[in-house]
Amino acid sequence: MNTEYAIRIRNLVKKFGDFTAVDNISFDVRRGEIFGFLGANGAGKTTAMRILCGLSRPTSGSGTVAGFDICREQEKIKKNIGYMSQKFSLYPDLTVRENIRLFGGIYGLKDRTIREKTEKMLEMLGIRDAGDRFAAELPLGWKQKLSFCIALIHSPQIIFLDEPTGGVDPETRRRFWESIYDTAGNGTTVFVTTHYMDEAEYCDRVSIMVDGRIDAMDSPAGLKKKFSAGNMDEVFRTVAGRAVREE
Amino acid sequence: MKAIEISGISKNYGQVAALREISLDVDSGEIFGLIGPDGAGKTTLFRIMTTLMLADAGSGKICGMDIVSDYSRIRKIIGYMPGRFSLYQDLSVRENLEYFATLFGTTVEKNYGTIREIYSQIEPFRDRKAGKLSGGMKQKLALCCALVHKPSVLFLDEPTTGVDAVSRSEFWKMLERIRKSGVTVFVSTPYMDEASLCDRLAMIRGGEIIGTGTPEQIISAYPYRLLSVEGDRIYPLLKRLRETEGVISCFSFGASLHLAYDPEKTEASGILAAIRESGLGDCKVREISPGIEDCFMQLARK
C-alpha cells in the first residue's frame, strides 16, 4: 500500500448509456491533505464521488482509495472512509445518543467503545444535555457538527464531505472549517465539495470539474496566479464558465 | 403605495418561536432581499406574506391589501416561487406553463412578453417533462410559471440555494430584468454575497430581523474597525489573534483573516505587534471596510 497518497485515480470514466458523466479524470490526494472538489451543477462531481466512496463502479479506469482498489475492494473502502452530506446524515427520529450508537454499530465498534465515544463526543460538542433529544430538534449548526463527528466515529483514513456547510450562518460555517483543519491536522485526509468559493481558499488544493473533465487543479494560490484572478470565485467563473453541456 | 408592508408579525410552532415581531416594508419596483441561514424563519415569513398561513400576531398588506381579509385578491396579483415542489414533474414544460396561466385566468400567448426572455431559453425543450429537466432549466421554468400572470410582486424563496456560482449570477441578471419590467421582487437567500445585488435588505436570524437598510447603510453602521490579515500560517495565526487584547472577533474570509477590533480598547499597532510576537511569519495587514457578511456576523453575535 502506498503510504503517501490517500487517493490515487487514473483515467476514470463513467458512462450512463451514451452519456459520459465522468470523462477520463486522474488525480492524487496526499495523506492529511484538504482537497476541494469543485464544479458546476451537473459537471460530474457526485458521480465521481460515488465511485470514490465505493458506491458505484467506473466504466473504465483504475485507482485506490485508502489503499484499496476502487473496482474490486469496495467494501474495504467503505470501512475505511467517512462520509457526511448536508442532508441525510442523521436519523431525525432517533435521539443524539441513538444516532451515535447506530453508526458506531454499523462500523462494528464494540459497545464499550461506543459508550466511551458517545460521552467524549457530547462533551466535545458541548451538547451533554442534548443527548436524549431527537436529532430533528437540534439547530442546524449542531446537526452538522454531530454528523461530522459521527462520520469520524470509526477513525477513517479519509473523510468525504459533500457540501457540509450549506445553509448555515456565516460564523457557524467558519467554525465548521476550523474543525476540518483540526481533523486534517490529526492526519485525516479531507475530500470536500462546496458551492462557497471562499471555502475553496481554505483547501490545500482544489480541482474544478467541467463537463466531466478536471479542467484545473492546483493550490488556490497557484490557480489564482494561473488565471490572473483576485480570488477563487473569479477562477471558478472562468473555468466553470467554459462548460458546454447542460446538467 | 408600498408593495409590501408588514408590522409586528409573530408565529410560533408549538414551543418554537419561528418569527418574532417582524416589521418591514418594500417599495414598489424594489429588489428586496431577505438574508439569513436555514431555520431563520424565511420560509414562514413567505407563507404568511403570500396568504398561505396565518400569523399568530401582527398585520400586513401587499399592494395595500390586507393579508388576511383580502387574501383572494392578493393571490391574483402575486407570483410565488417556493424553494421546492413548484412544478408538476409529470407535466411537460409547455403543460406546466399553460396550467399556471389557466389557474390565473389568462393564457401564455397573452402574457408572452413578460416571460419571453426567460422562456426562449427553455422553449427548445417545451415537450420535455419537468422532472427530466436540469436544475438550471427547472429554475427557469419555475420562474416563468410564477410570472405568467404578470404579477405586481414576485416572491422568490431561496431560488439560488444549491446552485453553483456561475448559474447564480445568471439568475440575478434575470431578476434585474424582471425588476426593470416594473415587478417588485422579494427574494430570500442564504448567500451573503448576493446582498449587494439587492436595493435594500433585511437580515434575519432566529426569527428576528437583526439589521435592515440598503447595503451601504448596513455597512456604514458597522461599529468596529476591521483588518485583513494575510500570511502563510493562517490557522495558528487565527487562534493566536483571538486571544489578543481588544480583538472582538477573528475569522477566515477566503485567503485572509478578518479581524475586528474595538478602537477604544486597542490600536492597529497593538495587533501588528501581537502578530510579530507570534513568530508565525510575515503577514500582510491592511485596514479594510466591512462587507455584508462581516456585518451579519457582528449583528448575529449581539
Side-chain angles (χ1 to χ4, degrees):
Chain A
M1 189 173 106
N2 191 309
T3 50
E4 191 185 347
Y5 294 106
I7 300 175
R8 305 207 81 173
I9 294 297
R10 290 293 173 272
N11 307 108
L12 194 73
V13 175
K14 179 75 183 185
K15 291 186 180 178
F16 297 107
D18 52 14
F19 176 71
T20 307
V22 175
D23 189 2
N24 196 20
I25 64 172
S26 301
F27 63 96
D28 295 325
V29 179
R30 285 188 301 275
R31 261 171 215 284
E33 191 172 30
I34 301 176
F35 188 81
F37 197 58
L38 311 183
N41 301 101
K45 293 192 304 286
T46 304
T47 306
M49 212 153 139
R50 284 177 56 81
I51 296 170
L52 299 183
C53 293
L55 299 172
S56 162
R57 281 198 168 81
T59 307
S60 63
S62 62
T64 58
V65 171
F68 299 106
D69 190 287
I70 54 168
C71 301
R72 293 188 311 271
E73 297 176 301
Q74 294 185 312
E75 291 312 308
K76 284 185 184 154
I77 289 177
K78 287 181 201 164
K79 287 194 180 103
N80 284 279
I81 62 165
Y83 176 82
M84 173 201 164
S85 77
Q86 193 208 337
K87 300 154 202 157
F88 316 123
S89 278
L90 298 172
Y91 286 83
D93 48 356
L94 295 184
T95 66
V96 171
R97 279 176 200 282
E98 286 167 344
N99 265 290
I100 300 173
R101 194 166 150 236
L102 174 68
F103 285 99
I106 287 172
Y107 285 111
L109 301 186
K110 293 199 179 77
D111 283 349
R112 210 184 70 194
T113 314
I114 294 173
R115 275 201 300 276
E116 284 166 9
K117 289 218 177 202
T118 303
E119 295 316 309
K120 238 164 103 185
M121 231 182 252
L122 295 178
E123 184 74 33
M124 202 181 84
L125 294 172
I127 54 172
R128 175 156 292 285
D129 299 333
D132 295 317
R133 281 172 67 185
F134 290 115
E137 296 170 2
L138 300 181
L140 185 69
W142 290 19
K143 274 190 215 169
Q144 272 167 335
K145 274 195 271 177
L146 180 62
S147 309
F148 185 62
C149 284
I150 287 180
L152 289 166
I153 196 167
H154 55 301
S155 312
Q157 300 178 42
I158 308 167
I159 181 158
F160 288 86
L161 306 170
D162 194 1
E163 291 183 32
T165 56
V168 298
D169 71 68
E171 178 164 339
T172 309
R173 199 154 70 78
R174 288 176 171 80
R175 299 232 180 245
F176 189 86
W177 268 89
E178 289 167 22
S179 37
I180 292 180
Y181 273 125
D182 289 333
T183 305
N186 294 333
T188 309
T189 307
V190 179
F191 189 96
V192 59
T193 74
T194 180
H195 280 313
Y196 292 101
M197 286 307 125
D198 58 336
E199 295 185 350
E201 312 263 7
Y202 310 155
C203 300
D204 295 318
R205 278 190 312 140
V206 162
S207 72
I208 303 176
M209 271 188 95
V210 182
D211 291 350
R213 307 175 310 267
I214 290 183
D215 268 12
M217 182 163 53
D218 201 344
S219 64
L223 287 172
K224 283 184 277 186
K225 200 170 158 200
K226 182 174 173 193
F227 292 96
S228 314
N231 54 46
M232 280 304 294
D233 191 49
E234 288 171 31
V235 171
F236 185 81
R237 281 164 204 268
T238 307
V239 178
R242 294 180 197 147
V244 183
R245 82 185 189 198
E246 260 284 358
E247 286 167 47
Chain B
M1 187 177 58
K2 299 273 183 197
I4 301 173
E5 277 182 280
I6 60 167
S7 169
I9 293 277
S10 295
K11 178 78 187 177
N12 298 303
Y13 298 120
Q15 300 288 308
V16 181
L19 294 175
R20 301 170 213 228
E21 296 185 29
I22 302 280
S23 299
L24 53 84
D25 55 72
V26 178
D27 288 324
S28 192
E30 262 190 324
I31 295 184
F32 190 96
L34 183 66
I35 298 197
D38 288 2
K42 299 191 296 293
T43 299
T44 300
L45 186 57
F46 269 85
R47 290 194 178 143
I48 291 170
M49 289 193 297
T50 53
T51 79
L52 300 174
M53 183 189 266
L54 291 171
D56 294 339
S59 61
K61 283 180 183 163
I62 307 293
C63 298
M65 293 178 272
D66 187 272
I67 53 170
V68 180
S69 55
D70 294 327
Y71 75 93
S72 63
R73 283 166 62 208
I74 290 177
R75 289 180 188 182
K76 292 198 178 80
I77 59 132
I78 61 169
Y80 176 36
M81 184 171 146
R84 275 165 222 156
F85 312 119
S86 65
L87 298 171
Y88 289 84
Q89 306 290 323
D90 49 353
L91 294 184
S92 72
V93 167
R94 183 73 196 183
E95 284 167 340
N96 265 289
L97 203 54
E98 276 171 0
Y99 175 74
F100 282 98
T102 310
L103 277 184
F104 286 103
T106 183
T107 60
V108 177
E109 287 67 32
K110 222 183 216 167
N111 292 322
Y112 192 73
T114 317
I115 57 166
R116 186 181 52 223
E117 230 173 315
I118 306 162
Y119 186 58
S120 62
Q121 299 172 46
I122 49 171
E123 209 163 10
F125 311 98
R126 62 179 169 270
D127 296 322
R128 195 182 286 186
K129 297 252 192 293
K132 300 271 182 207
L133 295 176
S134 70
M137 286 198 282
K138 266 186 199 160
Q139 196 190 39
K140 283 173 189 151
L141 176 58
L143 193 55
C144 288
C145 290
L147 279 171
V148 72
H149 60 295
K150 271 193 182 170
S152 307
V153 186
L154 180 62
F155 289 93
L156 304 164
D157 193 4
E158 296 205 21
T160 56
T161 291
V163 175
D164 66 71
V166 175
S167 312
R168 285 206 281 133
S169 63
E170 278 176 16
F171 191 82
W172 276 89
K173 282 183 195 139
M174 285 194 282
L175 288 193
E176 188 54 44
R177 286 198 292 268
I178 291 169
R179 184 265 291 278
K180 283 211 174 100
S181 72
V183 180
T184 305
V185 179
F186 188 92
V187 55
S188 68
T189 178
Y191 296 104
M192 301 286 150
D193 59 349
E194 294 180 350
S196 60
L197 304 167
C198 303
D199 298 316
R200 284 195 307 137
L201 52 112
M203 298 171 159
I204 186 167
R205 185 175 190 270
E208 287 177 277
I209 303 269
I210 57 173
T212 183
T214 64
E216 297 74 26
Q217 284 167 345
I218 288 170
I219 285 166
S220 66
Y222 189 77
Y224 306 122
R225 303 284 280 275
L226 203 60
L227 297 178
S228 154
V229 182
E230 284 174 67
D232 292 333
R233 301 181 60 199
I234 278 286
Y235 187 48
L237 192 61
L238 175 144
K239 286 184 165 170
R240 175 61 195 267
L241 288 173
R242 274 192 192 148
E243 317 276 296
T244 305
E245 177 88 27
V247 171
I248 303 286
S249 69
C250 185
F251 287 102
S252 45
F253 271 73
S256 58
L257 298 176
H258 284 191
L259 180 149
Y261 69 94
D262 187 342
E264 288 174 8
K265 296 206 177 111
T266 186
E267 289 172 31
S269 59
I271 291 155
L272 284 169
I275 292 172
R276 271 196 307 274
E277 282 162 24
S278 71
L280 291 165
D282 283 344
C283 293
K284 211 165 89 190
V285 183
R286 63 198 166 93
E287 180 121 14
I288 53 166
S289 42
I292 288 292
E293 196 155 7
D294 296 293
C295 297
F296 187 97
M297 289 170 74
Q298 184 264 322
L299 292 164
R301 291 188 131 214
K302 274 192 186 165

